[in-house]
Amino acid sequence: MVKVNDQHVIATLLSTPARWAVVGLSNNPRRAALGVSGFLQQQLGMDIIPVSLKGEDVHGATGYKLLADVPGRVDVVDCFVNSQRVGAVVDQAIAIGAGAVWLQLGVIDHGAAERAAAAGLNIVMDRCPAVEAPRLGLGR
């Protein structure tokens, strides 16, 4: 059985300064990724790396089209893609040696979670950091 949504893991991920690659992040204000990534950056002090099909810069951070294009280490891959597409993103996170994958609210893929856990990644699924952090008393 894969351990998903461990409260200690969630608290550690949200309270430890880290590089978060946010997959599906664009400048579209109607998309939740923009607000959540801003929260991660401004309230939790995380380094945000936008990853999207357009590779656009967001929140003053350089954007990339693929996780494999991101230079340096990636601590957390935050997935703002639908459940049908998230497995491929998780596989990319495994390939680049990320430390964790965070699947946003409504994004569920148990097979991908099993692959990530088998590769040694921490898994958070169907949760939002902008909800979890205040619940844990985290943020500026």
Side-chain angles (χ1 to χ4, degrees):
M1 182 79 173
V2 174
K3 190 163 191 175
V4 176
N5 299 338
D6 177 275
Q7 292 303 301
H8 176 72
V9 167
I10 290 171
T12 299
L13 292 176
L14 294 175
S15 63
T16 305
R19 292 184 81 212
W20 286 57
V22 183
V23 179
L25 176 56
S26 72
N27 286 299
N28 184 342
R30 295 184 305 254
R31 305 287 303 187
L34 187 63
V36 172
S37 61
F39 175 85
L40 286 167
Q41 184 184 59
Q42 297 155 15
Q43 295 296 313
L44 300 182
M46 302 302 174
D47 182 17
I48 298 302
I49 305 160
V51 179
S52 68
L53 295 175
K54 292 182 181 179
E56 63 186 299
D57 297 352
V58 183
H59 298 305
T62 301
Y64 299 90
K65 291 184 178 182
L66 300 170
L67 281 172
D69 295 339
V70 176
R73 78 176 197 297
V74 172
D75 299 304
V76 181
V77 175
D78 192 0
C79 303
F80 279 92
V81 298
N82 67 41
S83 297
Q84 292 75 28
R85 295 181 52 222
V86 79
V89 175
V90 171
D91 291 341
Q92 293 169 36
I94 294 167
I96 66 165
V101 289
W102 189 300
L103 282 60
Q104 285 293 325
L105 287 173
V107 182
I108 300 168
D109 185 330
H110 295 287
E114 289 176 14
R115 292 192 303 279
L121 280 71
N122 287 310
I123 312 296
V124 179
M125 184 164 50
D126 193 24
R127 296 284 189 273
C128 178
V131 172
E132 297 298 315
R135 184 180 63 75
L136 295 168
L138 301 172
R140 295 180 182 160

